[in-house]
Coordinates of all heavy atoms in Angstrom, one line a residue:
M1 N -76.7 -18.6 124.5 CA -76.7 -17.2 124.7 C -77.1 -16.6 123.3 O -76.5 -16.9 122.3 CB -75.4 -16.7 125.2 CG -75.6 -15.5 126.2 SD -74.1 -14.9 126.9 CE -73.2 -16.3 127.5
R2 N -77.8 -15.6 123.4 CA -78.1 -14.9 122.1 C -77.0 -14.0 121.6 O -76.2 -13.5 122.5 CB -79.5 -14.1 122.3 CG -80.6 -14.9 122.7 CD -81.9 -14.2 122.4 NE -83.0 -15.1 122.7 CZ -83.7 -15.9 121.9 NH1 -83.2 -16.0 120.7 NH2 -84.6 -16.6 122.3
W3 N -77.0 -13.7 120.4 CA -76.0 -13.0 119.7 C -75.8 -11.6 120.4 O -74.6 -11.2 120.6 CB -76.3 -12.8 118.3 CG -75.1 -12.2 117.5 CD1 -75.1 -10.9 117.0 CD2 -74.0 -12.9 117.0 NE1 -73.9 -10.8 116.3 CE2 -73.3 -12.0 116.2 CE3 -73.6 -14.2 117.0 CZ2 -72.1 -12.3 115.6 CZ3 -72.4 -14.5 116.4 CH2 -71.7 -13.6 115.8
H4 N -76.8 -10.8 120.7 CA -76.7 -9.5 121.2 C -76.1 -9.4 122.7 O -75.4 -8.5 123.0 CB -78.0 -8.7 121.1 CG -79.1 -9.2 122.0 ND1 -79.9 -10.3 121.6 CD2 -79.5 -8.9 123.3 CE1 -80.8 -10.6 122.7 NE2 -80.5 -9.7 123.7
I5 N -76.4 -10.6 123.4 CA -75.8 -10.6 124.7 C -74.4 -10.9 124.6 O -73.6 -10.3 125.4 CB -76.6 -11.9 125.5 CG1 -78.0 -11.5 125.7 CG2 -75.8 -12.1 126.8 CD1 -78.9 -12.6 126.3
R6 N -74.0 -11.7 123.7 CA -72.5 -12.0 123.6 C -71.8 -10.7 123.2 O -70.7 -10.4 123.7 CB -72.2 -13.1 122.5 CG -72.8 -14.4 122.9 CD -72.7 -15.4 121.7 NE -73.3 -16.5 122.1 CZ -73.9 -17.5 121.2 NH1 -73.9 -17.1 119.9 NH2 -74.4 -18.5 121.6
R7 N -72.4 -10.0 122.3 CA -71.8 -8.7 121.7 C -71.7 -7.7 123.0 O -70.7 -7.1 123.1 CB -72.6 -8.1 120.6 CG -72.1 -6.7 120.2 CD -73.0 -6.2 119.2 NE -72.9 -7.0 117.9 CZ -71.9 -7.0 117.1 NH1 -70.9 -6.3 117.3 NH2 -72.0 -7.8 116.0
R8 N -72.7 -7.6 123.8 CA -72.8 -6.7 124.9 C -71.8 -7.1 126.0 O -71.1 -6.2 126.5 CB -74.1 -6.7 125.5 CG -74.4 -5.6 126.5 CD -74.3 -4.3 125.8 NE -74.4 -3.2 126.8 CZ -73.6 -2.2 127.0 NH1 -72.6 -2.0 126.1 NH2 -73.6 -1.4 128.0
L9 N -71.5 -8.4 126.2 CA -70.4 -8.8 127.0 C -69.1 -8.4 126.6 O -68.2 -7.9 127.5 CB -70.5 -10.3 127.3 CG -71.7 -10.8 128.2 CD1 -71.7 -12.3 128.1 CD2 -71.5 -10.3 129.6
I10 N -68.8 -8.5 125.3 CA -67.6 -8.1 124.7 C -67.4 -6.6 124.9 O -66.3 -6.0 125.2 CB -67.4 -8.5 123.3 CG1 -67.3 -10.0 123.3 CG2 -66.2 -7.8 122.6 CD1 -67.3 -10.7 121.9
E11 N -68.4 -5.9 124.6 CA -68.4 -4.4 124.7 C -68.1 -4.0 126.1 O -67.3 -3.0 126.4 CB -69.7 -3.8 124.2 CG -70.0 -3.8 122.8 CD -71.4 -3.5 122.3 OE1 -72.2 -3.3 123.2 OE2 -71.6 -3.5 121.1
K12 N -68.7 -4.6 127.1 CA -68.4 -4.3 128.5 C -67.0 -4.6 128.9 O -66.3 -3.8 129.6 CB -69.4 -5.0 129.5 CG -70.8 -4.4 129.5 CD -70.6 -3.1 130.2 CE -72.0 -2.6 130.6 NZ -71.9 -1.2 131.2
A13 N -66.4 -5.7 128.4 CA -65.0 -6.1 128.7 C -64.1 -4.9 128.1 O -63.2 -4.5 128.7 CB -64.7 -7.3 128.1
V14 N -64.4 -4.5 126.9 CA -63.7 -3.4 126.2 C -63.7 -2.2 127.1 O -62.7 -1.4 127.4 CB -64.0 -3.2 124.7 CG1 -63.4 -2.0 124.1 CG2 -63.7 -4.5 123.9
E15 N -65.0 -1.8 127.5 CA -65.1 -0.6 128.4 C -64.4 -0.6 129.6 O -63.7 0.2 130.1 CB -66.7 -0.5 128.7 CG -67.4 -0.1 127.4 CD -69.0 0.1 127.9 OE1 -69.4 -0.1 129.0 OE2 -69.8 0.0 126.9
W16 N -64.3 -1.9 130.2 CA -63.7 -2.1 131.5 C -62.2 -1.8 131.3 O -61.5 -1.2 132.1 CB -64.0 -3.6 131.9 CG -63.3 -3.8 133.2 CD1 -63.7 -3.6 134.5 CD2 -62.1 -4.6 133.5 NE1 -62.8 -4.0 135.4 CE2 -61.9 -4.8 134.8 CE3 -61.3 -5.3 132.6 CZ2 -60.7 -5.5 135.3 CZ3 -60.1 -6.0 133.0 CH2 -60.0 -6.1 134.4
T17 N -61.6 -2.4 130.2 CA -60.2 -2.2 130.0 C -59.8 -0.7 129.8 O -58.7 -0.2 130.2 CB -59.7 -3.1 128.8 OG1 -60.3 -2.7 127.6 CG2 -59.8 -4.5 129.0
K18 N -60.7 0.0 129.0 CA -60.4 1.4 128.8 C -60.5 2.2 130.0 O -59.7 3.0 130.4 CB -61.4 1.9 127.8 CG -61.2 1.5 126.3 CD -62.2 2.0 125.4 CE -61.9 1.6 124.0 NZ -62.9 2.0 123.0
A19 N -61.5 1.9 130.9 CA -61.8 2.6 132.2 C -60.5 2.2 133.1 O -60.1 3.2 133.8 CB -63.0 2.1 132.8
G20 N -59.9 1.1 133.0 CA -58.7 0.8 133.9 C -57.4 1.1 133.2 O -56.4 0.8 133.8
N21 N -57.5 1.8 132.1 CA -56.3 2.3 131.4 C -55.4 1.0 131.1 O -54.2 1.2 131.1 CB -55.5 3.3 132.2 CG -54.6 4.2 131.4 OD1 -55.0 4.3 130.1 ND2 -53.6 4.6 131.9
Y22 N -56.0 -0.1 130.7 CA -55.3 -1.3 130.3 C -54.9 -1.0 128.8 O -55.6 -0.4 128.0 CB -56.0 -2.5 130.5 CG -56.3 -2.8 131.9 CD1 -57.5 -2.6 132.5 CD2 -55.3 -3.4 132.8 CE1 -57.7 -2.9 133.8 CE2 -55.4 -3.6 134.0 CZ -56.7 -3.3 134.7 OH -56.9 -3.5 136.0
P23 N -53.9 -1.8 128.3 CA -53.4 -1.6 127.0 C -54.3 -2.2 125.9 O -54.3 -1.7 124.8 CB -52.0 -2.3 126.9 CG -52.0 -3.2 128.0 CD -52.9 -2.7 129.0
G24 N -55.2 -3.0 126.3 CA -56.2 -3.7 125.2 C -56.7 -5.0 125.6 O -56.5 -5.4 126.8
V25 N -57.4 -5.6 124.7 CA -58.0 -6.8 125.0 C -57.5 -7.8 123.9 O -57.4 -7.5 122.8 CB -59.6 -6.8 124.8 CG1 -60.2 -8.1 125.0 CG2 -60.2 -5.7 125.8
M26 N -57.2 -9.1 124.4 CA -56.8 -10.1 123.4 C -57.6 -11.3 123.7 O -57.9 -11.6 124.8 CB -55.3 -10.5 123.7 CG -54.7 -11.5 122.7 SD -53.0 -11.8 123.2 CE -53.2 -13.5 123.7
L27 N -58.1 -11.9 122.6 CA -58.9 -13.1 122.6 C -58.2 -14.3 121.9 O -57.3 -14.1 121.1 CB -60.1 -12.8 121.9 CG -61.1 -11.7 122.3 CD1 -62.1 -11.4 121.2 CD2 -61.9 -12.1 123.6
E28 N -58.4 -15.4 122.5 CA -57.9 -16.7 121.9 C -59.1 -17.6 121.7 O -59.8 -17.7 122.7 CB -56.9 -17.3 122.9 CG -56.2 -18.5 122.3 CD -56.9 -19.8 122.8 OE1 -57.3 -19.9 123.9 OE2 -57.1 -20.6 121.9
T29 N -59.2 -18.3 120.6 CA -60.2 -19.2 120.3 C -59.7 -20.2 119.4 O -58.6 -20.0 118.8 CB -61.5 -18.5 119.8 OG1 -62.5 -19.6 119.8 CG2 -61.3 -17.9 118.4
Q30 N -60.4 -21.3 119.1 CA -60.0 -22.3 118.2 C -60.6 -21.9 116.7 O -61.5 -21.2 116.7 CB -60.6 -23.6 118.5 CG -60.1 -24.2 119.8 CD -60.9 -23.9 121.0 OE1 -61.7 -23.0 120.9 NE2 -60.7 -24.6 122.1
N31 N -59.9 -22.4 115.7 CA -60.2 -22.1 114.4 C -61.6 -22.8 114.0 O -62.3 -22.3 113.0 CB -59.2 -22.7 113.4 CG -59.0 -24.1 113.5 OD1 -58.8 -24.7 114.5 ND2 -59.0 -24.8 112.3
N32 N -62.0 -23.8 114.8 CA -63.3 -24.3 114.5 C -64.5 -23.7 115.1 O -65.7 -24.1 115.0 CB -63.4 -25.8 114.7 CG -63.1 -26.2 116.2 OD1 -62.7 -25.2 116.9 ND2 -63.1 -27.4 116.5
N33 N -64.2 -22.6 115.9 CA -65.3 -21.8 116.5 C -65.7 -20.7 115.5 O -65.4 -19.4 115.8 CB -64.8 -21.2 117.9 CG -65.8 -20.4 118.6 OD1 -66.9 -20.2 118.1 ND2 -65.5 -19.9 119.8
V34 N -66.3 -21.0 114.5 CA -66.7 -20.0 113.4 C -67.5 -18.9 113.9 O -67.4 -17.8 113.6 CB -67.2 -20.9 112.2 CG1 -67.6 -19.8 111.1 CG2 -66.2 -21.8 111.6
A35 N -68.6 -19.3 114.7 CA -69.5 -18.3 115.3 C -68.7 -17.2 116.1 O -68.9 -16.0 116.0 CB -70.6 -19.0 116.0
G36 N -67.8 -17.7 116.9 CA -67.0 -16.8 117.7 C -66.1 -15.9 116.9 O -66.0 -14.7 117.1
C37 N -65.5 -16.5 115.9 CA -64.7 -15.8 115.0 C -65.4 -14.6 114.3 O -64.9 -13.5 114.2 CB -64.0 -16.6 114.0 SG -62.7 -17.7 114.7
H38 N -66.7 -14.9 113.9 CA -67.5 -13.9 113.2 C -67.9 -12.8 114.3 O -67.9 -11.6 113.9 CB -68.7 -14.5 112.7 CG -68.5 -15.2 111.3 ND1 -68.2 -14.6 110.2 CD2 -68.6 -16.5 111.1 CE1 -68.1 -15.6 109.3 NE2 -68.2 -16.8 109.8
L39 N -68.2 -13.1 115.5 CA -68.5 -12.1 116.5 C -67.4 -11.2 116.8 O -67.4 -10.1 116.8 CB -69.0 -12.9 117.8 CG -69.2 -12.1 119.0 CD1 -70.4 -11.1 118.7 CD2 -69.4 -12.9 120.2
Y40 N -66.2 -11.8 117.0 CA -65.0 -11.1 117.2 C -64.7 -10.1 116.2 O -64.4 -8.9 116.5 CB -63.7 -11.9 117.6 CG -64.1 -12.9 118.8 CD1 -63.5 -14.1 118.6 CD2 -64.9 -12.7 119.8 CE1 -63.7 -15.1 119.7 CE2 -65.0 -13.6 120.8 CZ -64.5 -14.9 120.7 OH -64.7 -15.8 121.7
Q41 N -64.8 -10.6 115.0 CA -64.5 -9.7 113.7 C -65.6 -8.6 113.8 O -65.2 -7.4 113.5 CB -64.5 -10.5 112.5 CG -64.1 -9.7 111.3 CD -64.0 -10.5 110.1 OE1 -64.8 -11.5 109.9 NE2 -63.1 -10.2 109.2
S42 N -66.8 -8.9 114.1 CA -67.9 -7.9 113.9 C -67.7 -6.9 115.1 O -68.2 -5.8 114.9 CB -69.3 -8.5 114.0 OG -69.6 -8.9 115.3
C43 N -67.0 -7.3 116.1 CA -66.6 -6.3 117.3 C -65.4 -5.5 117.1 O -64.9 -5.0 118.1 CB -66.7 -7.0 118.5 SG -68.2 -7.6 119.2
S44 N -64.9 -5.5 115.9 CA -63.6 -4.8 115.6 C -62.3 -5.4 116.0 O -61.3 -4.8 115.9 CB -63.8 -3.3 116.0 OG -64.8 -2.7 115.4
F45 N -62.4 -6.7 116.3 CA -61.2 -7.4 116.7 C -60.5 -7.8 115.4 O -61.2 -8.1 114.5 CB -61.3 -8.7 117.6 CG -61.7 -8.2 119.0 CD1 -62.9 -8.0 119.5 CD2 -60.6 -8.2 120.0 CE1 -63.2 -7.6 120.8 CE2 -60.8 -7.9 121.2 CZ -62.2 -7.5 121.7
E46 N -59.2 -7.9 115.3 CA -58.4 -8.2 114.3 C -57.6 -9.5 114.5 O -57.1 -9.6 115.6 CB -57.5 -7.2 113.7 CG -58.2 -6.0 113.2 CD -57.2 -4.8 112.7 OE1 -56.1 -5.2 112.5 OE2 -57.8 -3.8 112.6
L47 N -57.6 -10.4 113.5 CA -56.8 -11.6 113.7 C -55.4 -11.2 113.8 O -54.9 -10.7 112.8 CB -57.2 -12.6 112.6 CG -56.4 -14.1 112.8 CD1 -56.9 -14.8 114.1 CD2 -56.9 -14.8 111.6
G48 N -54.7 -11.5 114.9 CA -53.3 -11.1 115.0 C -52.2 -12.2 114.9 O -51.1 -11.9 114.8
G49 N -52.7 -13.5 114.9 CA -51.8 -14.6 115.0 C -52.3 -15.8 115.3 O -53.6 -15.9 115.5
F50 N -51.7 -16.9 115.0 CA -52.1 -18.3 115.3 C -51.0 -19.1 115.8 O -49.9 -18.9 115.8 CB -52.7 -18.9 114.0 CG -51.8 -19.0 112.9 CD1 -51.1 -20.3 112.9 CD2 -51.4 -18.1 112.0 CE1 -50.3 -20.5 111.7 CE2 -50.6 -18.3 111.0 CZ -50.0 -19.5 110.9
E51 N -51.3 -20.3 116.4 CA -50.5 -21.2 116.9 C -51.0 -22.6 116.7 O -52.1 -23.0 117.1 CB -50.3 -21.1 118.5 CG -49.5 -22.1 119.2 CD -48.1 -22.3 118.5 OE1 -47.4 -21.2 118.5 OE2 -47.7 -23.4 118.1
R52 N -50.3 -23.3 115.7 CA -50.8 -24.6 115.3 C -50.6 -25.8 116.4 O -51.3 -26.8 116.3 CB -50.1 -25.1 114.0 CG -50.4 -24.2 112.8 CD -49.7 -24.6 111.6 NE -48.3 -25.2 111.9 CZ -47.6 -25.8 111.0 NH1 -48.0 -25.9 109.8 NH2 -46.4 -26.3 111.3
F53 N -49.7 -25.6 117.2 CA -49.3 -26.8 118.1 C -49.8 -26.5 119.7 O -49.5 -27.4 120.4 CB -47.9 -26.9 118.1 CG -47.4 -27.2 116.7 CD1 -46.6 -26.2 116.1 CD2 -47.6 -28.4 116.0 CE1 -46.2 -26.5 114.8 CE2 -47.2 -28.7 114.8 CZ -46.4 -27.8 114.1
L54 N -50.5 -25.5 119.9 CA -50.9 -25.2 121.3 C -51.7 -26.3 121.9 O -51.4 -26.8 122.9 CB -51.7 -23.9 121.4 CG -52.2 -23.5 122.8 CD1 -51.0 -23.1 123.7 CD2 -53.1 -22.3 122.7
Y55 N -52.7 -26.7 121.2 CA -53.6 -27.8 121.7 C -53.0 -29.1 121.6 O -53.4 -30.0 122.3 CB -54.9 -27.7 121.0 CG -55.6 -26.4 121.2 CD1 -55.9 -25.5 120.0 CD2 -56.1 -25.9 122.4 CE1 -56.4 -24.2 120.2 CE2 -56.6 -24.7 122.5 CZ -56.9 -23.9 121.4 OH -57.3 -22.6 121.6
K56 N -52.1 -29.4 120.6 CA -51.4 -30.6 120.5 C -50.7 -31.0 121.8 O -50.4 -32.1 122.1 CB -50.5 -30.7 119.3 CG -51.3 -30.9 118.1 CD -50.4 -31.2 116.9 CE -51.1 -31.4 115.6 NZ -52.0 -32.5 115.4
G57 N -50.2 -30.0 122.5 CA -49.5 -30.1 123.7 C -50.4 -30.8 124.8 O -50.1 -31.4 125.7
L58 N -51.7 -30.5 124.7 CA -52.7 -31.1 125.6 C -53.2 -32.4 125.2 O -53.4 -33.3 126.0 CB -53.9 -30.1 125.8 CG -53.6 -28.6 126.2 CD1 -54.8 -27.8 126.0 CD2 -53.1 -28.6 127.6
N59 N -53.3 -32.6 123.9 CA -53.8 -33.8 123.3 C -53.2 -33.9 121.9 O -53.6 -33.2 121.0 CB -55.2 -33.9 123.3 CG -55.9 -35.1 122.7 OD1 -55.2 -35.8 122.1 ND2 -57.0 -35.3 123.0
G60 N -52.3 -34.8 121.7 CA -51.6 -35.0 120.4 C -52.4 -35.2 119.3 O -52.0 -34.9 118.1
S61 N -53.7 -35.7 119.4 CA -54.6 -35.9 118.4 C -55.5 -34.7 117.9 O -56.2 -34.8 116.9 CB -55.4 -37.1 118.6 OG -56.4 -36.9 119.6
M62 N -55.4 -33.6 118.8 CA -56.2 -32.4 118.4 C -55.7 -31.8 117.2 O -54.6 -31.7 116.9 CB -56.3 -31.5 119.6 CG -56.9 -32.1 120.9 SD -57.0 -30.8 122.1 CE -58.4 -30.0 121.6
K63 N -56.7 -31.4 116.4 CA -56.3 -30.7 115.0 C -56.7 -29.2 115.1 O -56.5 -28.5 114.1 CB -57.1 -31.4 114.0 CG -56.7 -32.8 113.8 CD -57.4 -33.4 112.6 CE -57.2 -34.8 112.3 NZ -56.1 -35.5 112.6
E64 N -57.2 -28.7 116.2 CA -57.6 -27.3 116.3 C -56.4 -26.5 116.3 O -55.3 -26.8 116.8 CB -58.4 -27.1 117.6 CG -59.8 -27.4 117.6 CD -60.0 -28.9 118.1 OE1 -59.0 -29.5 118.5 OE2 -61.1 -29.4 118.0
I65 N -56.5 -25.1 115.7 CA -55.5 -24.2 115.7 C -55.9 -23.1 116.7 O -57.1 -22.6 116.5 CB -55.2 -23.7 114.2 CG1 -54.8 -24.8 113.4 CG2 -54.3 -22.5 114.3 CD1 -54.7 -24.6 112.0
A66 N -55.1 -22.5 117.5 CA -55.4 -21.4 118.3 C -55.3 -20.2 117.5 O -54.2 -19.9 116.8 CB -54.4 -21.3 119.5
L67 N -56.3 -19.3 117.6 CA -56.4 -18.1 116.9 C -56.3 -16.9 117.9 O -57.0 -17.0 118.9 CB -57.6 -18.0 116.0 CG -57.9 -19.0 114.9 CD1 -59.2 -18.8 114.3 CD2 -56.7 -19.0 114.0
Y68 N -55.5 -15.9 117.7 CA -55.3 -14.8 118.6 C -55.9 -13.6 118.0 O -55.5 -13.2 116.9 CB -53.9 -14.6 119.0 CG -53.3 -15.9 119.7 CD1 -52.5 -16.7 119.0 CD2 -53.6 -16.1 121.0 CE1 -51.9 -17.8 119.6 CE2 -53.2 -17.2 121.7 CZ -52.2 -18.0 121.0 OH -51.7 -19.2 121.6
W69 N -56.8 -13.0 118.6 CA -57.5 -11.7 118.2 C -57.0 -10.6 119.0 O -56.9 -10.6 120.2 CB -58.9 -11.9 118.3 CG -59.5 -12.9 117.4 CD1 -59.6 -14.3 117.7 CD2 -60.1 -12.8 116.1 NE1 -60.2 -15.1 116.6 CE2 -60.4 -14.1 115.6 CE3 -60.3 -11.8 115.3 CZ2 -61.0 -14.3 114.4 CZ3 -60.9 -11.9 114.0 CH2 -61.3 -13.2 113.6

């Protein structure tokens, strides 16, 4: 998917939450998803936290860290 399509999908999701009077949007991704992290940051999302052991519960050998935006 092209960059502008991804950005537009996020913008639509934010519009939908505002129209529905929801409190906000939260994203979760892995620390190795660098392109996604750049996209979320460029869409004004802020990194709010992380969880080092989330994926280890699924597979003990996983090294990814969950990032919450």
Side-chain angles (χ1 to χ4, degrees):
M1 213 181 312
R2 300 202 182 267
W3 190 260
H4 69 278
I5 295 172
R6 293 176 187 145
R7 176 180 299 282
R8 191 69 185 125
L9 287 170
I10 290 173
E11 289 170 353
K12 279 294 188 185
V14 170
E15 290 173 14
W16 180 78
T17 59
K18 288 179 180 177
N21 203 27
Y22 294 104
V25 176
M26 185 176 110
L27 299 166
E28 180 268 320
T29 191
Q30 294 93 341
N31 62 310
N32 60 356
N33 182 359
V34 177
C37 292
H38 284 290
L39 174 64
Y40 305 146
Q41 187 176 28
S42 74
C43 291
S44 299
F45 284 86
E46 295 181 14
L47 186 60
F50 65 94
E51 173 58 57
R52 295 183 323 171
F53 302 109
L54 179 68
Y55 302 115
K56 285 195 182 287
L58 301 172
N59 179 342
S61 65
M62 293 186 79
K63 297 186 185 324
E64 286 90 359
I65 297 170
L67 302 177
Y68 299 102
W69 297 83

